Amino acid sequence: MNLSIEPVSEAHFAGLHAALDTVAREKRFLAFTQAPPVEQAFDFYRSIIANGGCQMLALRDGRVAGWCDVLPSHGQARSHVGILGIGLVPSARHLGIGAKLMQATIAAAWAKGMTRIELTVRADNTNAKALYERLGFEVEGLLRRAFRVDGEYFDSYSMALLRHDSMTMIESSL
Ligand SMILES: CC(C)(COP(=O)(O)OP(=O)(O)OC[C@H]1O[C@@H](n2cnc3c(N)ncnc32)[C@H](O)[C@@H]1OP(=O)(O)O)[C@@H](O)C(=O)NCCC(=O)NCCS
């Protein structure tokens, strides 16, 4: 099985949309419980490319097996902050692909000048939380009843990763 990690491109929009829909419909991980309509999703992917955003795909034998993005937050005062999302289709999990995909996407976000990456993970998603912690993310808070799926509430953790040299930059400016 040949694995490659590469930036999203138009040729993979359909595969990305299908992967998102598969993970969303599991209803255990994401805020979406199904993917947005195709045209809306494709416009969104195009806007990410047009704005130089960080969205990477994991391709197994050329087919989309997952995605990871670090998307900008709104407001000038938060222009250093990106919001991370990730998902792999079930057959691509527990193979080390998530870590590789995240590392490539985080490196791209740092290269764009971001110095803080935030994410939200459901408290019962222990697999994802363990991966985030392995990569240096720290829990900053518990968000109570942050998700509701089929009438059931789930807490989530707010986590963040700071670019290693960001503290140095802040300290040297004091
Ligand atoms: C969360 C997610 C992205 C993690 O990706 P992943 O590839 O499964 O994660 P990792 O790369 O860290 O691998 C996880 C496990 O595989 C093991 N692993 C890593 N490399 C391996 C390899 N080469 N061969 C076998 N196992 C391996 C890891 O040790 C780890 O095992 P553990 O959990 O028992 O300690 C993925 O599981 C996923 O898409 N889940 C559903 C969607 C989701 O939760 N998204 C996040 C929402 S916040």
Side-chain angles (χ1 to χ4, degrees), residues 58-77:
L59 303 178
R60 296 179 87 197
D61 291 336
R63 293 169 62 93
V64 176
W67 73 91
C68 182
D69 44 43
V70 176
L71 302 178
S73 37
H74 297 294
Q76 290 83 357

Side-chain angles (χ1 to χ4, degrees), residues 28 48 58 80 124 134 153 166:
R28 294 170 50 212
I48 293 174
H80 62 296
D124 59 341
R134 233 171 32 243
Y153 288 110
S166 61

Side-chain angles (χ1 to χ4, degrees), residues 23-24 26 28-31 65-67 84-90 92-102 119-122 125-132 134-135 147:
V23 180
E26 292 180 82
R28 294 170 50 212
F29 309 113
L30 307 182
W67 73 91
L84 186 141
I86 185 170
L88 296 172
V89 295
R93 294 175 195 159
H94 302 291
L95 299 171
I97 297 174
K100 289 187 182 122
L101 188 51
M102 274 188 79
L119 62 83
T120 302
V121 58
R122 253 172 63 167
N125 192 352
T126 51
N127 186 41
K129 182 165 175 275
L131 170 61
Y132 301 149
R134 233 171 32 243
L135 293 181
F147 287 68

